[in-house]
Amino acid sequence: MGSTSCARSHPAKAFLHFAFVLAVLIVLAQVAFVKVDAAQLVVPDTQVEEVPEAIINEIPLGFAETAESINEKDKANEIFQSTIKLLESLARSRKPRSPAPPKGDIVASLLRVLRRALPTTPRGDEPVAAEWDLSLEEEEDATSNVGPWLHRIPKIETDDSAVVKRAKALKTLKILGYQAQSSDALLALGDIYLYANYMHPRNASTAFKHYVALAHDLGNAVGQRMVGLMYATGLGVPRNYPRALTYMSFATVGKDTVAEQTLGYWHLMGIGTPKNCEDAAWYYERVDEKAIDFYKAGPPGGLPVPQGKVRLPEEEGGVFGHGASGAGDPTIRTGGSQAGALTAEDIFQFYKLQADGGDAVAQLVVGQLYYQGTNAIKQDFQRALQMFLAAAKQYPPETEAQGVDAAEEKKIASAAAQAAGFLGQMYWRGEAIAKPDERTAKYWFEVGARRDNAASMNGLGMMHLRGAAGLPKDKELARRYFEKAAAGEHSDGLANYGEMLLENKAKWGDAIRMFNRASTRGHILATYRMGQMYTHGMGIGQNCHVGVSYLKTVAEKADWHDSVVRDAHRAYKDGDMEGAFVRYLLAAERGYEIAQTNAAWLIDKGIYDPSKSNLFGADHDAYETALSLWNRAANQANVDARVKMGDYYYYGLGGGAKDDATAQSATGAVHDQHLGGGFGQLLESILPHRPPRRRKPDPAKAALYYQVAAESEFSSLAMWNLGWMHESGIGVEKDFHLAKRLYDLSLSTNPEAYLPVNLALAKLYVKWAWAYVTGQMSSPPALFSNSAAKPVTVAPAPPPPPPEPAGGDAGNVPMDDEEQLTAWLRERRREDAGGFDNDDDDWYDDEGDLENGEMALIVMLCGIAVLLLGMRQRVGRAAAAAPVPAGNFGVGGGARPGVPPPALQQQQERRDLGGLAMGGGAGVDVVAPGGLPPGQNRDSGGTDSFGSGRGSESGELRRRPAQTGEGNREETEGDDL
């Protein structure tokens, strides 16, 4: 009993004993056993089996079939296709890559460390060296007119193990690439090592060698582009923008679309080359011309644009979380609620329920969602066709609807007409049917046109323009149909009508108005025309920057030529964080703001740590790469990226001068290079995130970025940060008045910041009062008035984002160039502060005691808030647990037997409902078929779907007055059923 009590009273000591014993076992295991050769290690099933390069080069040389009439190029292509099929089959036979366990999972970390630390035995089923006859001598058939490379192709036997087959396949690709001069083989080798295709281990430096051979030996444009991108990103080679620009320029000579898009972005932003808007427009126009040709070559109406790209931070509420990102949560400012907001899946399920009940409007909406597809809803033409047919048949033109009022009849007719337009498009394009059916498409277009449906009129106009479905070719009639469709604000109709107006130079002004209205609806062709007309001054004043913005949008939306961003998100979902990061990083060089944000976010959140991979050198600073990506995203109007840059300079991450002392203290002894072995791996794997490599903080520069984000981009978080810096006098002048003003602006910009702003104001008032009592301040705290506060100077629009510097030595490329921005903001700040400029870099030491006091005050205030909340909950629980008296408390004080009090009656009703109960006497309005989702009102009657006389903004059910013996009970809103 005594020992048990002692053990229970010291759990920490028992855990330390266990950790010590485990560490000793790991060290003894490493010392006692001899390391086996890398080729004979047992690799876990969830990891990729790497075939050592030495083994690949030692594959025995077999004899492939020879014939005098074989063409070398065709034979090489045949062997290449067979090799790729073999690698695909081997990859499918392996277990898929599973996502890494969470960093905080100690059990999983221990198991992973034990697998890596304990010695392993050779594979019994794959005796690698024994299976290969290394004594086989190489021979060549001198009589054959086929090149000698064909004799070097290793012969793959059916009884070869998987590792041998993979090794022979890679050996075959090397022979095809370097001896048979196959560009496909060299490109496949580079992609295998860079993207880890076919579950092969990733090695950026080896991939770079293959791409260099492809670019130099064969002059391949794709190889030149990949070499340029790897020089620009620093993947597998030191970063060098001059060389990147050279290779990328050669790739554009070979008409590589990705290279053209990359150079367009570099010339636009001044990356590696001076800024030149005209050159950027020239490159983007070349990309867009190919995209528009591809778009027009599709089915009638154009090829569908690829689905939108996913912004990873939005899956967690934004870069800074729910309510803190951007200028605040829009649902708060419009009277909504974050807790009551509906997701896309919730809305879809609601409409799906209504559609199954026969609601024509809901059937139209669900059909559109299935037809277009979203990130949450998979595209399904068959289900879309079923929904459109159901909606269209609810109001046939030949009959009249019965049993509905005029307003409801109008809604059904409109939904049926829109569904008819979609049906005509689907039958003409051959979607969800075996082959296109022009006659049926014409019928549905005519049905919709009789109801003035704009999409149907546009379809008939296209048929008359092409002479389809037996209609005569009539350009004038087509023009009239397009004009009617444009009047209905149909995007295709607007674009088609604009195309016809563009043929007459005198009507270019009208054409640009059509294109402008269509481009605001995301029409690719109209957006391209807008870029052309602004760039060349067609019907409007020439404006290169506006034109390039349109052209860049087309290049990034109509990216059929390369799906790198979508591939990156697919890798992220599959758990391949390194593969996702590589693809996002390459896409970031092409100007995708969403890729720049995603790549930086992966590093910032610690989801991917480049220092633990072989993509970069040992001295690579991951936060320097993240800072560069945040900078580029900020220059493309990403306000959260601007705030992140301020955070990085404030904490000394990635930017500023290197400080060895700061870096040593920040890195810590756990990650010291001398700490190796299993125990070091154990400690490192348990840590939630590797401490970042720190540099000397620069609070003054951080304040500059916060000021831009606050004044020009309305970031509530930047306002709060800047207010705290003015309160503490860090990086800026200490000014309580200005600090209070910034806190107030933060709250007015984002009402969800109520708690942090009021806590900060409480702390500010305490410091302000103390300063007033001690004579440091001449004015008392402005608790109830803002009259004493200094007004925040609202600056005009800031100058254009500074260009990234051209050139630079390898590995020493500046991340950003803020000279103009810094000078402008410093002058502004001097004016506001009366000439004061604080550039003190030793604020950490000077303000240490003050910061500790502030932290203690914040902790005390938070504790009081938690205590009050706990007391409130305790009182509520006590009231709920109180015994129910045998009577009801009426107005006159009398009790009625068997009837509980009103509050308990509501609780009982809620329990009886158990959610959304249909009918009953509880007085709850339910969603009837044909109703709209919460927050949307019907046109008829002015009531929402729940029977309330006003719309519900927060998506909550409203309880109607329950009928009792003494009259209606008072309505209570906000009951979350």
Side-chain angles (χ1 to χ4, degrees):
M1 291 294 294
S3 60
T4 304
S5 174
C6 181
R8 289 179 179 176
S9 62
H10 297 86
K13 185 179 297 185
F15 176 77
L16 291 177
H17 288 172
F18 169 74
F20 176 78
V21 172
L22 179 63
V24 171
L25 290 176
I26 293 175
V27 173
L28 291 177
Q30 289 185 333
V31 174
F33 295 92
V34 181
K35 293 184 178 180
V36 244
D37 187 70
Q40 299 176 339
L41 291 179
V42 174
V43 183
D45 292 335
T46 57
Q47 298 182 0
V48 180
E49 298 179 5
E50 180 173 4
V51 182
E53 194 74 19
I55 296 181
I56 296 177
N57 293 327
E58 294 176 358
I59 293 181
L61 304 176
F63 294 97
E65 57 176 335
T66 61
E68 298 181 359
S69 59
I70 295 180
N71 181 278
E72 288 191 19
K73 187 175 181 180
D74 293 341
K75 187 60 179 176
N77 183 64
E78 179 185 348
I79 296 175
F80 170 76
Q81 297 296 336
S82 301
T83 305
I84 294 299
K85 289 181 180 179
L86 173 63
L87 289 173
E88 290 175 348
S89 64
L90 292 174
R92 286 193 298 268
S93 63
R94 310 263 327 260
K95 288 185 178 181
R97 182 187 290 107
S98 59
K103 293 272 184 166
D105 192 344
I106 299 180
V107 176
S109 301
L110 289 173
L111 293 177
R112 185 170 61 251
V113 171
L114 288 174
R115 281 201 305 266
R116 294 176 180 176
L118 294 177
T120 55
T121 57
R123 282 181 177 267
D125 57 335
E126 294 187 5
V128 178
E131 287 194 12
W132 296 347
D133 184 6
L134 300 180
S135 63
L136 184 63
E137 297 182 358
E138 179 180 354
E139 297 183 9
E140 297 182 6
D141 187 355
T143 62
S144 174
N145 60 0
V146 180
W149 63 266
L150 190 56
H151 296 270
R152 303 175 183 271
I153 300 295
K155 187 176 181 181
I156 299 177
E157 304 291 348
T158 56
D159 57 347
D160 286 341
S161 63
V163 66
V164 174
K165 288 180 179 179
R166 283 193 295 273
K168 289 184 177 181
L170 290 178
K171 180 70 174 181
T172 300
L173 290 178
K174 290 178 64 177
I175 294 174
L176 292 175
Y178 289 95
Q179 298 184 26
Q181 302 295 297
S182 171
S183 58
D184 292 336
L186 284 176
L187 180 61
L189 282 170
D191 291 347
I192 285 173
Y193 282 98
L194 181 62
Y195 299 119
N197 290 346
Y198 316 117
M199 301 186 70
H200 191 277
R202 186 176 285 105
N203 191 314
S205 58
T206 303
F208 179 78
K209 295 176 183 178
H210 294 310
Y211 288 135
V212 168
L214 179 63
H216 280 256
D217 299 344
L218 304 182
N220 185 273
V222 178
Q224 294 164 349
R225 176 241 297 173
M226 291 305 301
V227 173
L229 286 175
M230 295 186 77
Y231 269 124
T233 56
L235 289 171
V237 66
R239 209 173 183 189
N240 191 318
Y241 265 104
R243 290 189 179 184
L245 182 63
T246 302
Y247 279 99
M248 206 65 68
S249 300
F250 276 109
T252 57
V253 175
K255 300 182 179 180
D256 183 77
T257 306
V258 174
E260 292 169 347
Q261 182 181 359
T262 305
L263 283 187
Y265 174 66
W266 286 4
H267 281 284
L268 177 64
M269 306 303 294
I271 301 175
T273 181
K275 264 189 174 184
N276 193 314
C277 183
E278 288 73 20
D279 288 349
W282 186 80
Y283 281 114
Y284 274 123
E285 275 196 278
R286 294 180 65 177
V287 177
D288 292 356
E289 287 171 359
K290 301 175 187 177
I292 295 302
D293 291 341
F294 203 67
Y295 168 79
K296 291 182 177 179
L303 192 70
V305 177
Q307 290 186 7
K309 301 162 183 65
V310 178
R311 192 178 296 272
L312 298 182
E314 289 185 355
E315 297 180 353
E316 297 187 5
V319 174
F320 296 102
H322 292 285
S325 304
D329 190 351
T331 62
I332 297 296
R333 294 197 297 273
T334 56
S337 171
Q338 180 70 28
L342 296 178
T343 65
E345 182 65 23
D346 294 334
I347 296 174
F348 173 74
Q349 292 298 332
F350 174 84
Y351 277 111
K352 184 68 168 58
L353 178 64
Q354 301 290 68
D356 294 340
D359 187 276
V361 176
Q363 290 169 347
L364 174 65
V365 172
V366 173
Q368 285 182 274
L369 292 173
Y370 276 132
Y371 182 71
Q372 297 170 353
T374 66
N375 293 325
I377 303 169
K378 187 178 180 181
Q379 191 177 49
D380 192 331
F381 287 148
Q382 289 291 344
R383 292 187 178 181
L385 184 66
Q386 295 171 5
M387 288 294 170
F388 289 144
L389 285 171
K393 291 179 179 179
Q394 288 214 36
Y395 197 80
E398 294 81 6
T399 61
E400 295 184 0
Q402 302 292 333
V404 293
D405 56 18
E408 192 69 19
E409 180 182 356
K410 185 177 179 180
K411 285 185 177 182
I412 296 175
S414 176
Q418 294 181 58
F422 278 106
L423 288 171
Q425 180 173 314
M426 294 186 71
Y427 277 103
W428 196 10
R429 294 164 64 94
E431 295 166 338
I433 57 177
K435 61 180 180 178
D437 188 346
E438 293 184 350
R439 299 288 181 178
T440 306
K442 172 177 167 290
Y443 165 76
W444 284 113
F445 282 146
E446 290 173 344
V447 170
R450 285 196 291 268
R451 285 288 174 184
D452 296 328
N453 176 250
S456 299
M457 292 179 181
N458 176 74
L460 289 176
M462 294 177 61
M463 284 188 164
H464 280 289
L465 187 65
R466 302 185 180 192
L471 295 174
K473 254 190 174 183
D474 191 334
K475 192 172 184 180
E476 178 58 26
L477 184 57
R479 187 195 65 80
R480 291 201 296 267
Y481 273 117
F482 290 148
E483 186 175 6
K484 291 181 180 180
E489 296 298 322
H490 187 260
S491 59
D492 287 339
L494 288 165
N496 290 332
Y497 187 45
E499 286 286 291
M500 301 196 78
L501 293 175
L502 197 61
E503 298 174 359
N504 186 352
K505 188 174 182 179
K507 296 184 178 181
W508 279 1
D510 295 332
I512 199 169
R513 282 190 288 272
M514 297 297 110
F515 291 138
N516 183 40
R517 288 156 60 186
S519 64
T520 58
R521 291 163 175 77
H523 198 279
I524 287 297
L525 179 59
T527 306
Y528 170 64
R529 293 300 186 200
M530 288 292 293
Q532 272 190 323
M533 300 181 84
Y534 268 108
T535 301
H536 302 289
M538 300 168 57
I540 198 171
Q542 186 175 9
N543 191 322
C544 181
H545 290 283
V546 175
V548 169
S549 66
Y550 282 108
L551 296 175
K552 183 175 183 290
T553 300
V554 174
E556 294 179 359
K557 287 187 64 176
D559 55 351
W560 295 287
H561 58 278
D562 191 16
S563 59
V564 60
V565 181
R566 293 181 292 278
D567 293 341
H569 183 255
R570 193 177 301 112
Y572 175 80
K573 286 297 184 182
D574 292 341
D576 183 11
M577 301 306 169
E578 188 173 63
F581 175 77
V582 168
R583 291 171 173 86
Y584 280 134
L585 188 63
L586 295 177
E589 286 296 329
R590 307 176 202 178
Y592 289 92
E593 181 272 325
I594 192 170
Q596 295 163 355
T597 301
N598 289 348
W601 185 77
L602 288 174
I603 296 176
D604 185 81
K605 297 289 288 184
I607 298 175
Y608 170 67
D609 187 358
S611 64
K612 296 182 179 180
S613 68
N614 58 357
L615 294 178
F616 302 95
D619 58 344
H620 176 259
D621 186 357
Y623 284 89
E624 186 176 354
T625 300
L627 180 61
S628 172
L629 294 166
W630 288 128
N631 181 36
R632 295 184 179 183
N635 289 340
Q636 299 195 70
N638 187 324
V639 58
D640 291 332
R642 186 88 62 192
V643 179
K644 269 295 180 183
M645 293 188 68
D647 293 346
Y648 275 44
Y649 280 110
Y650 182 86
Y651 292 108
L653 301 177
K658 294 184 178 180
D659 188 351
D660 295 337
T662 305
Q664 177 66 24
S665 62
T667 303
V670 173
H671 298 288
D672 191 273
Q673 296 296 330
H674 299 287
L675 183 59
F679 189 63
Q681 294 179 6
L682 172 63
L683 294 179
E684 183 174 344
S685 62
I686 293 177
L687 288 177
H689 181 45
R690 173 187 286 271
R693 297 176 58 182
R694 292 281 293 273
R695 302 192 181 193
K696 194 171 184 179
D698 192 345
K701 184 174 285 189
L704 299 179
Y705 284 101
Y706 291 147
Q707 188 169 353
V708 172
E711 295 184 359
S712 302
E713 299 171 323
F714 307 104
S715 169
S716 60
L717 187 59
M719 295 172 186
W720 196 97
N721 291 345
L722 200 58
W724 183 87
M725 296 180 78
H726 276 289
E727 176 189 343
S728 306
I730 296 177
V732 294
E733 179 192 13
K734 179 181 289 188
D735 190 329
F736 289 164
H737 295 283
L738 190 54
K740 182 182 183 303
R741 176 63 173 161
L742 287 165
Y743 286 145
D744 292 338
L745 284 176
S746 176
L747 182 58
S748 63
T749 304
N750 180 11
E752 193 165 334
Y754 178 83
L755 179 60
V757 168
N758 281 279
L759 288 175
L761 285 173
K763 179 171 63 73
L764 174 65
Y765 291 149
V766 173
K767 295 172 64 176
W768 198 337
W770 177 255
Y772 177 70
V773 170
T774 57
Q776 301 178 23
M777 294 284 295
S778 59
S779 61
L783 296 177
F784 307 102
S785 174
N786 292 330
S787 59
K790 284 186 180 180
V792 178
T793 304
V794 179
E804 300 202 15
D809 297 333
N812 191 27
V813 181
M815 293 296 99
D816 50 1
D817 183 8
E818 303 97 357
E819 293 182 359
Q820 296 180 355
L821 179 64
T822 302
W824 175 69
L825 286 173
R826 282 190 188 279
E827 187 62 28
R828 288 271 321 289
R829 213 174 66 217
R830 286 194 184 97
E831 294 175 359
D832 294 342
F836 178 83
D837 189 13
N838 184 6
D839 288 328
D840 186 11
D841 291 330
D842 299 328
W843 55 271
Y844 278 106
D845 297 333
D846 297 340
E847 301 289 341
D849 297 336
L850 182 59
E851 288 184 359
N852 293 332
E854 293 172 357
M855 183 60 66
L857 181 60
I858 291 176
V859 171
M860 181 183 67
L861 293 174
C862 292
I864 293 174
V866 171
L867 180 62
L868 292 175
L869 289 175
M871 293 175 62
R872 180 180 177 182
Q873 292 179 358
R874 181 176 299 179
V875 171
R877 286 194 298 267
V884 181
N888 187 26
F889 301 94
V891 177
R896 294 164 61 187
V899 182
L904 295 179
Q905 183 179 359
Q906 295 177 25
Q907 296 177 10
Q908 183 65 36
E909 289 174 357
R910 183 181 295 111
R911 286 193 295 268
D912 294 339
L913 285 173
L916 296 176
M918 299 291 290
V924 176
D925 293 301
V926 297
V927 180
L932 295 179
Q936 299 188 20
N937 299 336
R938 286 195 175 278
D939 296 338
S940 60
T943 61
D944 61 14
S945 59
F946 303 120
S948 174
R950 56 191 180 275
S952 174
E953 294 179 348
S954 60
E956 299 169 343
L957 296 180
R958 301 177 183 268
R959 186 183 302 278
R960 292 183 302 190
Q963 302 295 331
T964 64
E966 296 185 0
N968 294 346
R969 181 165 48 85
E970 192 177 43
E971 177 181 335
T972 58
E973 296 181 5
D975 289 339
D976 186 9
L977 301 182

